[in-house]
Amino acid sequence: MNNQERESQRTSGVYSKRPVEIVRGEGARLWDSQGKVYIDCVGGHGSANVGHGNRQVAEAIAQQAQRLMVCPELFYNDRRAELLEKLTSIAPRGLRRVFLSNSGTEAVEAALKFSRLTTGRTEFVAAMRGFHGRTLGSLSATWDKKFREGFEPLVPGFSHIPYNDLNALDEAVTGRTAGVILEVVQGEGGVRPGAAEFLVGAQRLCRERGAMFIVDEVQTGFGRTGSMFACEHYDLEPDFLCVAKSIAGGLPMGATLFGDRVGEIPSQVHGSTFGGNPMVCAAALAAIDYIETNHLPDRAAELGTWFIERLKRIQSPLIREVRGLGLMVGIELKQKVTPYLQALMGLGVLALPAGLTVMRFLPPLVISQDDLEQAALAVQEVLS
Ligand SMILES: Cc1ncc(COP(=O)(O)O)c(C=O)c1O
């Protein structure tokens, strides 16, 4: 039995897998078990910003694994202290406290729970096409029924307004609203950048009405959109910033950063066995250092602008729109995207769907312009 059969027999069934076994990676390239090389524009769903096989991160993990792998937040720890300082120093102004967890959905759950604690309110406003995770709280903020169906009733009190519609948000946020949760660029929902007026307006409405402004940067964080955090494009100062994915170079970590409008969080009300794990903290320190030292946000800005322009030059009746910010790029098609993603894979380029009709590119930020050009040529071939 080969490995694909072995996995298929025992896996949960929740993933629809492509018939390829990836065994090795370097930078923005991946290799399968047959030795075929791919240009990786999936980037571990956006968790591989520093590239596969990043030596700096790998060495930090190996060193810390031998020194101390496990240390729950019952105790203090040197690596964790260093990481908390680092995160609060690079985050948007005012975010001076951090809850560490293990995934994006947990980063969001903490923001929702702490918003309830702070405000004493229970309602949340989120956006249509928003995606915030799959545990029951963050799933309640997630919009698409394909993720929600079969799991209802979800947490009560969540409503969804059209993204980028400030008037609708104005009507939805009331004295009962604990928080408004938004992505700066919607990822799963089709790579849709937020309008400045909407995001800044959302922050203002939250301040005026005593609600928490929760920004979900799980996908946009750590350089992806051309700045360390996408909030910087609009000078946003959220009450909560939720991050995960590329924070620790590919190891699982989530973080919920929060500011002074959030009240004191009493001890014992929340927690996580692995949150703040020293090995993952060491990986995060190395990954963030790598992102800063190699100016990956600037690189994402430059290459992203170039790539979007390059894709816009492709003549194809199948393309409705090319859009994105930094190296978070989408091509909206007039048809379902799956067969085109399969064809791209045949040509050695891996990309993601975002909804039914959008082809999404989240390459490691270390990708070369040549590899992006190869990806664009492959797109051109499959769409013509
Ligand atoms: C914006 C956003 N929030 C939350 C999540 C959930 O993250 P995780 O899969 O790590 O739970 C994702 C995952 O794609 C995401 O894109």
Side-chain angles (χ1 to χ4, degrees):
M1 211 187 300
N2 66 29
N3 289 332
Q4 293 186 36
E5 288 161 353
R6 289 166 69 200
E7 263 199 49
S8 296
Q9 280 196 1
R10 292 171 182 84
T11 190
S12 64
V14 302
Y15 300 103
S16 57
K17 297 190 194 192
R18 303 183 190 179
V20 56
E21 183 190 343
I22 301 295
V23 293
R24 187 166 76 82
E26 195 182 315
R29 302 270 181 103
L30 290 172
W31 281 261
D32 71 12
S33 51
Q34 308 300 308
K36 178 170 173 175
V37 60
Y38 299 86
I39 295 170
D40 177 25
C41 294
V42 168
H45 284 280
S47 62
N49 286 7
V50 299
H52 300 288
N54 184 292
R55 175 123 359 134
Q56 191 171 320
V57 175
E59 280 172 5
I61 294 170
Q63 275 177 18
Q64 187 61 36
Q66 293 186 33
R67 189 158 167 255
L68 181 69
M69 202 185 291
V70 166
C71 174
E73 292 220 27
L74 183 61
F75 307 106
Y76 293 93
N77 173 260
D78 50 354
R79 288 285 90 83
R80 189 188 304 130
E82 212 181 322
L83 178 63
L84 296 183
E85 253 174 32
K86 186 75 213 177
L87 282 175
T88 50
S89 76
I90 60 173
R93 250 186 319 273
L95 298 172
R96 59 175 193 82
R97 288 175 285 170
V98 187
F99 174 76
L100 293 173
S101 56
N102 317 286
S103 64
T105 200
E106 284 173 85
V108 170
E109 290 291 338
L112 299 175
K113 287 179 75 176
F114 296 171
S115 294
R116 276 190 170 195
L117 275 185
T118 286
T119 61
R121 305 173 180 178
T122 56
E123 293 185 5
F124 289 91
V125 182
M128 292 174 182
R129 295 205 169 92
F131 184 88
H132 302 288
R134 299 164 186 273
T135 50
L136 289 173
S138 49
L139 183 60
S140 308
T142 292
W143 176 73
D144 197 324
K145 69 174 184 325
K146 87 170 178 234
F147 301 117
R148 300 166 63 99
E149 255 171 16
F151 302 110
E152 278 133 348
L154 293 174
V155 179
F158 282 77
S159 60
H160 294 85
I161 52 110
Y163 193 60
N164 282 339
D165 184 342
L166 190 56
N167 290 332
L169 190 64
D170 192 359
E171 278 180 30
V173 180
T174 71
R176 294 185 304 280
T177 307
V180 172
I181 177 163
L182 296 170
E183 293 157 271
V184 181
V185 181
Q186 291 190 316
E188 283 291 323
V191 190
R192 293 166 204 278
E197 191 202 9
F198 174 68
L199 295 165
V200 173
Q203 175 170 302
R204 177 180 46 78
L205 286 175
C206 287
R207 298 281 196 274
E208 284 171 8
R209 297 180 196 171
M212 297 290 108
F213 182 44
I214 307 168
V215 172
D216 180 345
E217 288 226 35
V218 168
Q219 194 161 140
T220 51
F222 298 97
R224 170 63 54 196
T225 68
S227 56
M228 186 59 94
F229 298 104
C231 277
E232 292 163 30
H233 295 297
Y234 309 101
D235 240 345
L236 298 176
E237 292 182 22
D239 299 306
F240 289 97
L241 181 76
C242 304
V243 292
K245 291 210 194 271
S246 274
I247 184 173
L251 286 194
M253 175 177 266
T256 312
L257 289 84
F258 52 104
D260 286 337
R261 289 181 75 238
V262 180
E264 283 306 309
I265 307 295
S267 68
Q268 312 291 330
V269 299
H270 196 54
S272 160
T273 298
F274 284 124
N277 171 285
M279 193 181 78
V280 187
C281 288
L285 281 164
I288 295 168
D289 182 66
Y290 189 89
I291 291 170
E292 287 186 315
T293 312
N294 293 281
H295 309 288
L296 293 190
D298 293 343
R299 192 181 167 81
E302 280 163 32
L303 284 178
T305 305
W306 177 84
F307 189 49
I308 289 171
E309 286 312 310
R310 174 69 184 83
L311 293 174
K312 281 184 175 166
R313 290 209 309 274
I314 294 174
Q315 300 289 326
S316 164
L318 294 168
I319 297 180
R320 194 181 296 283
E321 191 184 23
V322 176
R323 57 179 178 251
L325 194 61
L327 277 174
M328 183 169 176
V329 177
I331 306 177
E332 182 168 347
L333 302 184
K334 294 174 187 163
Q335 298 182 3
K336 288 196 177 155
V337 74
T338 314
Y340 302 102
L341 290 173
Q342 280 162 358
L344 265 187
M345 194 168 96
L347 295 177
V349 174
L350 303 174
L352 280 167
L356 286 178
T357 57
V358 177
M359 191 179 270
R360 180 171 36 152
F361 300 84
L362 297 174
L365 309 183
V366 297
I367 194 168
S368 67
Q369 190 168 337
D370 279 354
D371 277 359
L372 284 174
E373 172 63 17
Q374 290 305 314
L377 286 171
V379 170
Q380 195 165 319
E381 191 171 331
V382 303
L383 294 184
S384 19

